[in-house]
């Protein structure tokens, strides 16, 4: 019996692999350190990568398809987090974490001001570390992840 791995399966595996390789390269080689929301976007890709890898080991086609669909959902979750993060970066809405807060010095004594500065996040979620054509890394993650998830699900549906 020959196992056939279709384009949906390969995309579900290679998309999170390449996106994670890109952000790790940007971090380790390019010096672009991630904020808290950047890390949130990585976790669903780690899950999708593991799920898609597991699907290569499953002999039953229906179970394999279910795992690939689940990987697509995880990729879409990362894309949704990317939309939320990009919205914070572009100022469309306020952030969800302390890494997007600004320091309010009103009513603080000088010693409290220094303490507030020292507790401020090093990498802010509301400032993009890098952009290309006005699109931040979070924006690119949203585009690639949501587009990839839709493509994977469409390929799975077409293969039926």
């Amino acid at each position: 019996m020959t196992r056939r791995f279709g384009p949906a399966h390969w995309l579900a595996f290679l998309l999170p692999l390449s996106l994670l390789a890109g952000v790790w390269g940007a971090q380790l080689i390019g010096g672009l350190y991630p904020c808290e929301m950047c890390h949130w976007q990585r976790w669903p890709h780690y899950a999708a990568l593991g799920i898609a890898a597991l699907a290569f080991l499953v002999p039953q086609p229906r179970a394999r398809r279910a795992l690939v669909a689940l990987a697509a959902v995880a990729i879409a979750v990362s894309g949704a987090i990317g939309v939320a993060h990009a919205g914070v970066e572009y100022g469309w809405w306020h952030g969800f974490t302390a890494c997007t807060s600004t320091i309010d010095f009103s009513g603080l004594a000088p010693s409290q001001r220094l303490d507030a500065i020292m507790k401020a996040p090093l990498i802010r979620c509301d400032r993009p570390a890098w952009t290309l054509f006005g699109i931040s890394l979070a924006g690119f993650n949203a585009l690639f992840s949501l587009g990839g998830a839709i493509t994977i699900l469409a390929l799975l549906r077409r293969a039926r």
Side-chain angles (χ1 to χ4, degrees):
M1 180 174 147
T2 305
R3 288 190 204 175
R4 184 171 178 270
F5 305 113
H9 192 172
W10 283 107
L11 185 58
F13 180 74
L14 294 174
L15 180 65
L17 179 66
S18 60
L19 289 174
L20 286 168
V23 296
W24 275 104
Q27 180 179 337
L28 298 175
I29 298 168
L32 298 177
Y33 295 100
C35 70
E36 184 176 356
M37 292 180 79
C38 294
H39 282 292
W40 293 355
Q41 293 171 76
R42 292 181 186 190
W43 288 108
H45 281 306
Y46 292 131
L49 187 60
I51 293 166
L54 178 63
F56 280 112
L57 304 175
V58 174
Q60 298 87 5
R62 291 184 75 182
R64 190 167 49 240
R65 286 175 48 84
L67 287 171
V68 170
L70 185 59
V73 170
I75 292 167
V77 167
S78 179
I81 297 168
V83 168
H85 188 187
V88 170
E89 291 175 334
Y90 298 133
W92 298 339
W93 46 74
H94 293 289
F96 309 104
T97 68
C99 72
T100 61
S101 65
T102 57
I103 301 170
D104 182 15
F105 289 119
S106 60
L108 293 179
S111 62
Q112 292 172 318
R113 290 178 185 177
L114 178 60
D115 189 46
I117 291 170
M118 295 305 290
K119 289 182 180 175
L122 182 60
I123 307 298
R124 294 185 50 161
C125 294
D126 58 351
R127 302 280 188 264
W130 179 87
T131 62
L132 179 65
F133 308 120
I135 303 173
S136 67
L137 287 173
F140 277 113
N141 179 54
L143 293 171
F144 289 134
S145 295
L146 292 174
I150 290 167
T151 303
I152 292 165
L153 294 173
L155 288 169
L156 282 175
R157 185 171 181 180
R158 189 183 77 184
R160 285 181 106 188

